[in-house]
Coordinates of all heavy atoms in Angstrom, one line a residue:
M1 N 0.9 -1.2 0.0 CA 0.1 -0.1 -0.1 C 0.9 1.3 0.0 O 1.8 1.3 0.8 CB -0.9 0.0 1.3 CG -1.7 1.1 1.4 SD -3.0 0.9 2.7 CE -2.3 1.9 4.0
K2 N 0.7 2.2 -0.9 CA 1.4 3.4 -0.9 C 0.5 4.5 -0.2 O -0.6 4.6 -0.4 CB 1.6 3.7 -2.4 CG 2.5 2.8 -3.1 CD 2.9 3.2 -4.5 CE 3.7 2.2 -5.2 NZ 4.3 2.7 -6.4
V3 N 1.3 5.2 0.6 CA 0.7 6.3 1.3 C 1.7 7.6 1.2 O 2.9 7.5 1.0 CB 0.5 6.0 2.8 CG1 -0.6 5.0 2.9 CG2 1.8 5.6 3.6
N4 N 1.0 8.7 1.3 CA 1.8 10.0 1.3 C 2.1 10.3 2.6 O 1.7 9.7 3.6 CB 1.1 11.1 0.5 CG -0.2 11.5 1.2 OD1 -0.3 11.5 2.4 ND2 -1.2 11.9 0.3
E5 N 2.9 11.4 2.9 CA 3.4 11.8 4.2 C 2.2 12.0 5.1 O 2.2 11.6 6.4 CB 4.4 12.9 4.1 CG 5.8 12.6 3.7 CD 6.4 11.6 4.6 OE1 6.3 11.7 5.9 OE2 7.0 10.6 4.1
E6 N 1.2 12.8 4.7 CA 0.0 13.0 5.5 C -0.8 11.8 5.8 O -1.1 11.7 7.1 CB -0.9 14.0 4.7 CG -2.2 14.5 5.6 CD -1.8 15.3 6.7 OE1 -0.8 15.9 6.8 OE2 -2.7 15.3 7.7
E7 N -1.0 10.9 5.0 CA -1.6 9.6 5.3 C -0.8 8.8 6.3 O -1.4 8.2 7.2 CB -1.9 8.9 4.0 CG -2.9 9.5 3.1 CD -3.0 8.8 1.7 OE1 -1.9 8.3 1.3 OE2 -4.1 8.8 1.1
K8 N 0.5 8.8 6.1 CA 1.4 8.1 7.0 C 1.3 8.6 8.4 O 1.1 7.9 9.4 CB 2.8 8.1 6.4 CG 3.8 7.2 7.2 CD 5.1 7.2 6.5 CE 6.1 6.3 7.3 NZ 7.4 6.3 6.6
K9 N 1.2 9.9 8.6 CA 1.1 10.6 9.8 C -0.2 10.2 10.5 O -0.3 9.9 11.6 CB 1.2 12.2 9.7 CG 1.1 12.9 10.9 CD 1.2 14.4 10.7 CE 0.9 15.2 12.0 NZ 0.6 16.5 11.9
L10 N -1.3 10.3 9.7 CA -2.7 10.0 10.2 C -2.7 8.5 10.6 O -3.3 8.2 11.7 CB -3.8 10.2 9.2 CG -4.0 11.7 8.8 CD1 -5.0 11.9 7.7 CD2 -4.6 12.4 10.0
L11 N -2.1 7.6 9.8 CA -2.2 6.2 10.2 C -1.3 6.0 11.5 O -1.7 5.2 12.4 CB -1.6 5.3 9.2 CG -2.5 5.0 8.0 CD1 -1.6 4.4 6.9 CD2 -3.6 4.1 8.4
S12 N -0.3 6.7 11.6 CA 0.6 6.5 12.9 C -0.2 7.1 14.2 O -0.1 6.4 15.1 CB 1.9 7.4 12.7 OG 2.6 7.4 13.9
E13 N -0.9 8.1 13.9 CA -1.7 8.7 15.0 C -2.8 7.8 15.4 O -3.1 7.5 16.6 CB -2.3 10.1 14.7 CG -1.2 11.2 14.7 CD -1.8 12.5 14.1 OE1 -3.0 12.6 13.8 OE2 -1.0 13.5 13.9
A14 N -3.4 7.1 14.4 CA -4.5 6.2 14.6 C -3.9 5.0 15.4 O -4.7 4.5 16.3 CB -5.1 5.7 13.3
I15 N -2.8 4.4 15.0 CA -2.3 3.4 15.6 C -1.9 3.6 17.2 O -2.1 2.9 18.0 CB -1.0 2.9 14.9 CG1 -1.3 2.2 13.6 CG2 -0.1 1.9 15.7 CD1 -0.3 2.0 12.6
D16 N -1.4 4.8 17.4 CA -1.1 5.3 18.7 C -2.3 5.3 19.6 O -2.3 4.8 20.7 CB -0.4 6.8 18.8 CG 1.0 6.7 18.2 OD1 1.6 5.6 18.1 OD2 1.4 7.8 17.8
K17 N -3.4 5.9 19.0 CA -4.7 5.9 19.8 C -5.2 4.5 20.0 O -5.7 4.2 21.2 CB -5.7 6.7 19.1 CG -5.4 8.2 19.0 CD -6.4 9.0 18.3 CE -6.1 10.5 18.4 NZ -7.1 11.3 17.6
M18 N -5.1 3.6 19.1 CA -5.5 2.2 19.3 C -4.7 1.5 20.4 O -5.1 0.8 21.2 CB -5.4 1.4 18.0 CG -6.4 1.8 16.9 SD -6.1 0.9 15.3 CE -6.1 -0.8 15.8
N19 N -3.4 1.8 20.4 CA -2.5 1.3 21.4 C -2.8 1.8 22.8 O -2.8 1.0 23.8 CB -1.1 1.5 21.2 CG -0.5 0.5 20.0 OD1 -1.0 -0.6 20.0 ND2 0.4 1.0 19.3
E20 N -3.2 3.1 22.9 CA -3.5 3.6 24.2 C -4.9 2.9 24.6 O -5.0 2.7 25.8 CB -3.8 5.2 24.1 CG -2.6 5.9 23.9 CD -2.8 7.4 23.6 OE1 -4.0 7.9 23.7 OE2 -1.9 8.1 23.1
G21 N -5.9 2.8 23.8 CA -7.1 2.1 24.1 C -6.9 0.7 24.5 O -7.5 0.2 25.4
L22 N -6.0 0.0 23.8 CA -5.7 -1.4 24.2 C -5.1 -1.4 25.6 O -5.3 -2.3 26.4 CB -4.8 -2.0 23.1 CG -4.4 -3.4 23.4 CD1 -5.7 -4.4 23.5 CD2 -3.4 -3.9 22.3
D23 N -4.1 -0.5 25.9 CA -3.5 -0.5 27.2 C -4.6 -0.2 28.3 O -4.4 -0.8 29.3 CB -2.5 0.7 27.2 CG -1.2 0.4 26.4 OD1 -1.0 -0.8 26.2 OD2 -0.4 1.3 26.1
S24 N -5.6 0.6 28.0 CA -6.7 0.8 28.9 C -7.4 -0.4 29.2 O -7.7 -0.8 30.4 CB -7.6 1.9 28.5 OG -7.0 3.2 28.4
F25 N -7.8 -1.1 28.1 CA -8.5 -2.4 28.2 C -7.7 -3.5 29.1 O -8.1 -4.2 29.9 CB -8.8 -3.0 26.9 CG -10.1 -2.4 26.3 CD1 -10.1 -1.6 25.3 CD2 -11.3 -2.7 26.9 CE1 -11.2 -1.0 24.7 CE2 -12.5 -2.2 26.4 CZ -12.6 -1.3 25.4
I26 N -6.4 -3.5 28.8 CA -5.6 -4.5 29.5 C -5.4 -4.1 31.0 O -5.5 -4.9 31.9 CB -4.1 -4.5 28.9 CG1 -4.1 -5.1 27.5 CG2 -3.1 -5.2 29.8 CD1 -2.8 -4.9 26.7
G27 N -5.4 -2.8 31.2 CA -5.4 -2.3 32.7 C -6.6 -2.8 33.4 O -6.7 -3.2 34.5
F28 N -7.9 -2.5 32.7 CA -9.1 -2.9 33.3 C -9.2 -4.4 33.6 O -9.6 -4.9 34.6 CB -10.3 -2.5 32.4 CG -10.6 -1.1 32.4 CD1 -11.0 -0.4 31.0 CD2 -10.5 -0.3 33.5 CE1 -11.1 1.0 30.9 CE2 -10.7 1.2 33.3 CZ -11.0 1.6 32.1
Y29 N -8.8 -5.2 32.6 CA -8.7 -6.6 32.7 C -7.9 -7.1 33.9 O -8.2 -7.9 34.7 CB -8.2 -7.3 31.4 CG -8.0 -8.8 31.5 CD1 -9.1 -9.6 31.5 CD2 -6.7 -9.4 31.8 CE1 -9.0 -10.9 31.6 CE2 -6.6 -10.7 31.9 CZ -7.7 -11.5 31.9 OH -7.6 -12.9 32.0
N30 N -6.7 -6.5 34.1 CA -5.7 -6.9 35.1 C -6.2 -6.4 36.4 O -5.9 -7.1 37.4 CB -4.3 -6.2 34.9 CG -3.6 -7.0 33.7 OD1 -3.9 -8.0 33.4 ND2 -2.7 -6.2 33.1
E31 N -7.0 -5.4 36.5 CA -7.5 -4.9 37.8 C -8.9 -5.6 38.2 O -9.5 -5.4 39.3 CB -7.7 -3.4 37.8 CG -6.5 -2.7 37.7 CD -6.7 -1.2 37.5 OE1 -7.8 -0.7 37.5 OE2 -5.7 -0.6 37.3
S32 N -9.5 -6.3 37.2 CA -10.8 -6.9 37.4 C -10.7 -8.1 38.5 O -9.7 -8.7 38.7 CB -11.4 -7.4 36.1 OG -10.6 -8.5 35.6
E33 N -11.9 -8.3 39.2 CA -12.0 -9.3 40.2 C -13.3 -10.0 39.8 O -14.3 -9.5 39.4 CB -12.1 -8.7 41.6 CG -11.0 -7.9 42.0 CD -11.1 -7.2 43.4 OE1 -12.2 -7.6 44.0 OE2 -10.4 -6.4 43.8
E34 N -13.4 -11.3 40.2 CA -14.6 -12.2 40.0 C -15.7 -11.6 40.9 O -15.4 -11.3 42.1 CB -14.2 -13.6 40.3 CG -15.4 -14.5 39.9 CD -15.1 -16.0 40.2 OE1 -13.9 -16.2 40.3 OE2 -16.0 -16.7 40.1
D35 N -16.8 -11.5 40.4 CA -18.0 -11.0 41.2 C -18.6 -12.3 41.7 O -19.3 -13.0 41.0 CB -18.9 -10.3 40.3 CG -20.1 -9.6 41.1 OD1 -20.0 -9.5 42.3 OD2 -21.0 -9.2 40.5
K36 N -18.5 -12.5 43.0 CA -19.0 -13.7 43.7 C -20.1 -13.3 44.6 O -20.0 -12.3 45.3 CB -18.0 -14.4 44.4 CG -16.9 -15.0 43.7 CD -15.9 -15.7 44.6 CE -14.5 -15.7 44.2 NZ -13.6 -16.4 45.1
A37 N -21.3 -13.9 44.6 CA -22.3 -13.7 45.5 C -21.8 -14.2 46.9 O -21.3 -15.3 47.1 CB -23.6 -14.4 45.2
I38 N -22.0 -13.4 47.9 CA -21.7 -13.9 49.3 C -22.7 -14.8 49.8 O -22.4 -15.8 50.5 CB -21.7 -12.6 50.3 CG1 -20.6 -11.7 49.8 CG2 -21.5 -13.0 51.8 CD1 -20.5 -10.4 50.5
I39 N -24.0 -14.7 49.5 CA -25.0 -15.5 50.0 C -25.9 -15.9 48.7 O -26.2 -15.0 47.9 CB -26.0 -14.8 51.0 CG1 -25.2 -14.4 52.3 CG2 -27.2 -15.7 51.3 CD1 -26.0 -13.6 53.2
D40 N -26.2 -17.2 48.7 CA -27.1 -17.6 47.6 C -28.5 -17.7 48.1 O -28.8 -18.5 49.0 CB -26.7 -19.1 47.1 CG -25.3 -19.1 46.5 OD1 -25.0 -18.1 45.8 OD2 -24.5 -20.0 46.7
F41 N -29.4 -16.8 47.7 CA -30.8 -16.7 48.1 C -31.5 -17.8 47.4 O -31.3 -18.0 46.2 CB -31.3 -15.4 47.8 CG -30.8 -14.3 48.7 CD1 -30.0 -13.2 48.2 CD2 -31.1 -14.2 50.1 CE1 -29.5 -12.2 49.0 CE2 -30.6 -13.2 50.9 CZ -29.8 -12.2 50.4
S42 N -32.6 -18.3 48.1 CA -33.5 -19.2 47.4 C -34.4 -18.4 46.3 O -34.5 -17.2 46.4 CB -34.5 -19.9 48.4 OG -35.3 -18.9 49.0
E43 N -35.0 -19.1 45.4 CA -35.9 -18.5 44.4 C -37.0 -17.7 45.1 O -37.3 -16.6 44.7 CB -36.4 -19.5 43.5 CG -35.3 -20.0 42.5 CD -34.8 -18.9 41.5 OE1 -35.7 -18.0 41.1 OE2 -33.7 -18.7 41.4
E44 N -37.5 -18.4 46.1 CA -38.7 -17.6 46.9 C -38.1 -16.3 47.4 O -38.9 -15.3 47.4 CB -39.2 -18.5 47.9 CG -40.3 -18.0 48.7 CD -40.8 -18.9 49.9 OE1 -40.3 -20.1 50.0 OE2 -41.8 -18.6 50.6
T45 N -37.0 -16.3 48.1 CA -36.4 -15.0 48.6 C -36.1 -14.0 47.7 O -36.4 -12.9 47.8 CB -35.1 -15.4 49.5 OG1 -35.5 -16.5 50.5 CG2 -34.6 -14.2 50.2
I46 N -35.6 -14.5 46.6 CA -35.3 -13.6 45.4 C -36.6 -12.9 45.0 O -36.6 -11.7 44.7 CB -34.6 -14.3 44.3 CG1 -33.2 -14.6 44.7 CG2 -34.5 -13.4 43.1 CD1 -32.4 -15.5 43.8
K47 N -37.6 -13.7 44.8 CA -39.0 -13.1 44.3 C -39.5 -12.1 45.3 O -40.0 -11.1 44.9 CB -40.0 -14.3 44.0 CG -39.6 -15.1 42.8 CD -40.6 -16.1 42.6 CE -40.1 -17.0 41.4 NZ -41.0 -18.2 41.2
T48 N -39.4 -12.4 46.5 CA -39.8 -11.5 47.7 C -39.0 -10.3 47.6 O -39.6 -9.1 47.8 CB -39.7 -12.2 49.0 OG1 -40.5 -13.5 49.1 CG2 -40.2 -11.3 50.1
I49 N -37.7 -10.4 47.5 CA -36.9 -9.1 47.4 C -37.2 -8.3 46.1 O -37.4 -7.0 46.3 CB -35.4 -9.5 47.4 CG1 -35.0 -10.1 48.7 CG2 -34.5 -8.3 47.1 CD1 -33.6 -10.7 48.8
E50 N -37.4 -8.9 45.1 CA -38.0 -8.2 43.8 C -39.2 -7.5 44.0 O -39.3 -6.3 43.6 CB -37.9 -9.2 42.7 CG -36.6 -9.7 42.3 CD -36.6 -10.7 41.1 OE1 -37.6 -11.5 41.0 OE2 -35.5 -11.0 40.5
K51 N -40.1 -8.1 44.7 CA -41.4 -7.5 44.9 C -41.3 -6.3 45.8 O -41.9 -5.3 45.6 CB -42.4 -8.5 45.6 CG -43.0 -9.4 44.6 CD -44.0 -10.4 45.3 CE -44.5 -11.6 44.5 NZ -45.3 -12.5 45.1
A52 N -40.5 -6.5 46.9 CA -40.2 -5.4 47.8 C -39.6 -4.2 47.1 O -39.8 -3.0 47.3 CB -39.3 -5.8 48.9
I53 N -38.6 -4.5 46.2 CA -38.0 -3.4 45.5 C -38.9 -2.6 44.6 O -38.9 -1.4 44.4 CB -36.7 -4.0 44.5 CG1 -35.7 -4.4 45.5 CG2 -36.3 -3.1 43.5 CD1 -34.4 -5.2 44.7
E54 N -39.9 -3.4 44.0 CA -40.9 -2.8 43.1 C -41.7 -1.7 44.0 O -42.1 -0.7 43.4 CB -41.8 -3.8 42.5 CG -41.2 -4.5 41.4 CD -42.1 -5.6 40.8 OE1 -43.3 -5.6 41.0 OE2 -41.6 -6.6 40.2
V55 N -42.1 -2.2 45.2 CA -42.9 -1.4 46.1 C -42.1 -0.2 46.7 O -42.6 0.9 46.7 CB -43.6 -2.2 47.1 CG1 -44.4 -1.4 48.1 CG2 -44.5 -3.3 46.4
Y56 N -41.1 -0.6 47.3 CA -40.3 0.4 48.1 C -39.1 1.0 47.6 O -38.5 2.0 48.1 CB -39.9 -0.2 49.5 CG -41.1 -0.7 50.3 CD1 -41.4 -2.1 50.3 CD2 -42.0 0.1 50.9 CE1 -42.5 -2.5 51.1 CE2 -43.0 -0.3 51.6 CZ -43.3 -1.7 51.7 OH -44.5 -2.1 52.3
G57 N -38.6 0.5 46.5 CA -37.3 1.0 45.8 C -36.1 0.2 46.4 O -36.1 -0.3 47.5
K58 N -35.1 0.2 45.5 CA -33.9 -0.5 45.9 C -33.2 0.0 47.0 O -32.7 -0.8 47.9 CB -33.0 -0.6 44.6 CG -31.8 -1.5 44.8 CD -31.0 -1.7 43.5 CE -29.9 -2.7 43.7 NZ -29.1 -2.9 42.5
E59 N -33.0 1.3 47.1 CA -32.3 1.9 48.3 C -32.9 1.5 49.7 O -32.2 1.1 50.6 CB -32.2 3.4 48.2 CG -31.1 3.8 47.3 CD -31.0 5.4 47.4 OE1 -31.2 6.0 48.5 OE2 -30.6 5.9 46.3
E60 N -34.2 1.5 49.7 CA -34.9 1.2 51.0 C -34.8 -0.2 51.3 O -34.5 -0.6 52.4 CB -36.4 1.6 50.8 CG -37.2 1.4 52.1 CD -36.9 2.4 53.2 OE1 -36.3 3.5 53.0 OE2 -37.1 2.0 54.4
V61 N -35.0 -1.1 50.4 CA -34.9 -2.5 50.6 C -33.5 -2.9 51.0 O -33.2 -3.8 51.9 CB -35.4 -3.3 49.3 CG1 -35.2 -4.8 49.5 CG2 -36.8 -3.0 49.1
T62 N -32.5 -2.3 50.3 CA -31.1 -2.7 50.6 C -30.7 -2.3 52.0 O -30.1 -2.9 52.8 CB -30.2 -2.0 49.6 OG1 -30.5 -2.4 48.3 CG2 -28.6 -2.1 49.8
S63 N -31.2 -1.0 52.4 CA -30.9 -0.5 53.8 C -31.5 -1.5 54.8 O -30.9 -1.9 55.8 CB -31.6 0.9 53.8 OG -31.4 1.3 55.2
K64 N -32.8 -1.9 54.5 CA -33.5 -2.8 55.5 C -32.9 -4.1 55.6 O -32.6 -4.7 56.6 CB -35.0 -3.0 55.1 CG -35.8 -1.6 55.2 CD -36.1 -1.3 56.5 CE -36.9 0.1 56.5 NZ -37.0 0.6 57.8
I65 N -32.5 -4.7 54.4 CA -31.9 -6.0 54.5 C -30.5 -5.9 55.2 O -30.2 -6.8 56.0 CB -31.6 -6.6 53.0 CG1 -32.9 -7.0 52.4 CG2 -30.7 -7.7 53.1 CD1 -32.9 -7.3 51.0
N66 N -29.7 -4.9 55.0 CA -28.4 -4.8 55.6 C -28.6 -4.6 57.1 O -27.9 -5.2 57.9 CB -27.7 -3.4 55.1 CG -27.0 -3.8 53.9 OD1 -26.0 -4.7 53.9 ND2 -27.3 -3.2 52.8
T67 N -29.6 -3.8 57.6 CA -30.0 -3.7 59.0 C -30.4 -5.1 59.6 O -29.9 -5.4 60.7 CB -31.1 -2.6 59.2 OG1 -30.7 -1.4 58.6 CG2 -31.4 -2.5 60.7
I68 N -31.1 -5.8 58.9 CA -31.7 -7.1 59.4 C -30.5 -8.0 59.6 O -30.2 -8.7 60.6 CB -32.7 -7.7 58.5 CG1 -34.0 -6.8 58.7 CG2 -33.1 -9.1 58.9 CD1 -35.1 -7.1 57.6
V69 N -29.7 -8.1 58.5 CA -28.5 -9.1 58.6 C -27.6 -8.7 59.7 O -27.1 -9.5 60.5 CB -27.8 -9.1 57.2 CG1 -26.6 -9.8 57.3 CG2 -28.8 -9.7 56.2
K70 N -27.3 -7.4 59.8 CA -26.3 -7.0 60.9 C -26.9 -7.4 62.3 O -26.2 -7.9 63.2 CB -26.1 -5.4 60.9 CG -25.1 -5.1 59.8 CD -24.6 -3.7 59.9 CE -25.7 -2.7 59.4 NZ -25.3 -1.3 59.4
E71 N -28.2 -7.2 62.5 CA -28.8 -7.4 63.7 C -28.8 -8.9 64.0 O -28.5 -9.4 65.1 CB -30.3 -6.9 63.8 CG -30.9 -7.1 65.1 CD -30.3 -6.4 66.2 OE1 -29.8 -5.2 66.0 OE2 -30.4 -6.9 67.4
V72 N -29.2 -9.7 63.1 CA -29.2 -11.1 63.2 C -27.9 -11.7 63.5 O -27.7 -12.7 64.3 CB -29.9 -11.8 61.9 CG1 -29.6 -13.4 62.0 CG2 -31.4 -11.5 61.8
L73 N -26.9 -11.2 62.9 CA -25.5 -11.7 63.1 C -24.8 -11.0 64.2 O -23.5 -11.3 64.4 CB -24.7 -11.6 61.7 CG -25.3 -12.5 60.6 CD1 -24.4 -12.2 59.4 CD2 -25.4 -13.8 60.9
S74 N -25.4 -10.1 64.9 CA -24.7 -9.3 65.9 C -24.3 -10.3 67.1 O -23.4 -9.9 67.9 CB -25.5 -8.2 66.5 OG -26.7 -8.7 67.1
F75 N -24.9 -11.5 67.2 CA -24.5 -12.3 68.3 C -23.2 -12.9 68.2 O -22.6 -13.6 69.1 CB -25.6 -13.4 68.5 CG -25.6 -14.4 67.3 CD1 -24.9 -15.5 67.2 CD2 -26.5 -14.1 66.2 CE1 -24.9 -16.3 66.1 CE2 -26.5 -14.9 65.1 CZ -25.7 -16.1 65.1
L76 N -22.6 -12.9 66.9 CA -21.3 -13.6 66.6 C -20.2 -12.9 67.5 O -20.2 -11.7 67.7 CB -20.9 -13.4 65.2 CG -21.8 -14.1 64.2 CD1 -21.4 -13.8 62.8 CD2 -21.7 -15.6 64.4
P77 N -19.4 -13.7 68.1 CA -18.2 -13.2 68.9 C -17.3 -12.3 68.0 O -17.1 -12.5 66.7 CB -17.5 -14.5 69.2 CG -18.0 -15.6 68.5 CD -19.3 -15.2 67.9
T78 N -16.7 -11.4 68.6 CA -15.8 -10.5 67.9 C -14.3 -11.0 67.9 O -13.6 -10.5 67.0 CB -15.9 -9.1 68.5 OG1 -15.4 -9.2 69.9 CG2 -17.3 -8.4 68.4
K79 N -14.0 -11.8 68.8 CA -12.7 -12.3 68.8 C -12.6 -13.9 68.5 O -13.6 -14.5 69.0 CB -12.0 -12.1 70.1 CG -11.8 -10.6 70.4 CD -11.2 -10.4 71.8 CE -11.1 -8.9 72.0 NZ -10.7 -8.7 73.4
K80 N -11.6 -14.3 67.9 CA -11.4 -15.8 67.7 C -11.5 -16.6 68.9 O -12.1 -17.7 69.0 CB -10.2 -16.1 66.9 CG -10.1 -17.5 66.4 CD -8.8 -17.8 65.5 CE -8.8 -19.1 65.0 NZ -7.6 -19.3 64.2
D81 N -10.9 -16.0 70.0 CA -10.8 -16.8 71.3 C -12.2 -17.0 71.9 O -12.5 -18.0 72.6 CB -10.0 -16.1 72.3 CG -8.5 -16.1 71.9 OD1 -8.1 -16.9 71.2 OD2 -7.8 -15.1 72.3
E82 N -13.2 -16.2 71.6 CA -14.5 -16.3 72.1 C -15.3 -17.4 71.5 O -16.2 -17.9 72.1 CB -15.3 -15.0 71.9 CG -14.6 -13.8 72.7 CD -15.4 -12.4 72.5 OE1 -16.4 -12.5 71.7 OE2 -14.9 -11.5 73.0
T83 N -14.9 -17.8 70.4 CA -15.6 -18.9 69.6 C -15.4 -20.3 70.3 O -16.2 -21.1 70.4 CB -15.3 -19.1 68.2 OG1 -13.9 -19.4 68.0 CG2 -15.7 -17.9 67.4
S84 N -14.3 -20.4 71.0 CA -14.1 -21.7 71.7 C -14.4 -21.7 73.1 O -14.4 -22.7 73.8 CB -12.6 -22.0 71.6 OG -11.8 -21.0 72.2
G85 N -14.8 -20.5 73.6 CA -15.3 -20.3 75.0 C -14.0 -20.1 75.9 O -14.3 -20.2 77.1
K86 N -12.9 -20.0 75.4 CA -11.8 -19.8 76.2 C -11.4 -18.3 76.3 O -11.4 -17.7 75.2 CB -10.5 -20.6 75.6 CG -10.8 -22.0 75.7 CD -9.5 -22.7 75.1 CE -9.8 -24.2 75.0 NZ -8.7 -24.9 74.3
N87 N -11.0 -17.8 77.5 CA -10.6 -16.5 77.6 C -9.1 -16.5 78.0 O -8.7 -17.2 78.7 CB -11.3 -15.7 78.7 CG -12.8 -15.6 78.3 OD1 -13.1 -15.3 77.2 ND2 -13.7 -15.6 79.4
K88 N -8.4 -15.6 77.2 CA -6.9 -15.6 77.5 C -6.6 -14.3 78.1 O -7.2 -13.3 77.9 CB -6.2 -15.8 76.1 CG -6.2 -17.3 75.6 CD -5.4 -17.4 74.4 CE -5.4 -18.8 74.0 NZ -4.5 -19.2 73.0

């Protein structure tokens, strides 16, 4: 393929921009993490949550679920030693 100086300059600039874009994609890929669910809800629970979101909105339901989970799990010991019943 024959190109003049202007076309060669434009091609070079295009290649530079493509390389910058590719570097960005590589950076995003390298920084990515697998999205894992912490808890697997049953289908019935998922349907109930979806209905609640329709009625009350996602923010409200998220806030309530977080409050409930924190309260239910508040009985957990805060130190590893407390799980075995031994005090050091």
